[in-house]
Amino acid sequence: MRTIASLAALAVVCGAAVAQGIDDPPSAFAPDEGIVRKVDKLAGEIIIRHGPLTEMDMPPMTMAFEVSNPQLLDEVKAGDRVTFRVELLNGRFTVTRIERKGQ
């Protein structure tokens, strides 16, 4: 069942990307919001308590995400309120953009 939901989420994301056009800036996507719980540079992960991730069909929860670029982990620390972008890359939920709210 989880695989079906993941595939459906991927189809939505891919469809949205095609509808946006490949030349559109990344800011054309609505960011998700959350609070950083932990930054683990050694593991290359960030733990975020987030609200619903509508593009991923995911309810609010706290979970670990991989990051697409390890430098993203230098941008935030535990306790920061953030906006971020999650994409399904290589079958894993991956943060591809993140910034502290209010910057």
Side-chain angles (χ1 to χ4, degrees):
M1 189 66 139
R2 180 174 253 174
T3 302
I4 293 170
S6 295
L7 290 173
L10 180 60
V12 169
V13 170
C14 290
V18 169
Q20 291 286 336
I22 58 174
D23 294 328
D24 287 352
S27 62
F29 295 103
D32 294 302
E33 296 185 6
I35 299 173
V36 175
R37 290 297 181 208
K38 182 178 179 182
V39 174
D40 188 340
K41 292 182 182 181
L42 188 60
E45 310 183 316
I46 186 167
I47 298 174
I48 301 174
R49 186 180 91 199
H50 61 79
L53 304 181
T54 54
E55 287 188 28
M56 297 290 139
D57 193 29
M58 188 180 297
M61 67 178 76
T62 300
M63 66 179 287
F65 294 96
E66 290 187 3
V67 292
S68 61
N69 181 339
Q71 291 178 336
L72 292 174
L73 299 175
D74 295 330
E75 305 292 320
V76 296
K77 65 184 182 320
D80 284 346
R81 291 186 176 278
V82 295
T83 56
F84 63 104
R85 173 81 177 143
V86 173
E87 296 181 38
L88 191 59
L89 301 176
N90 298 318
R92 298 183 164 284
F93 293 108
T94 305
V95 172
T96 57
R97 292 185 315 179
I98 192 165
E99 65 181 49
R100 284 180 282 148
K101 285 184 75 170
Q103 278 194 27

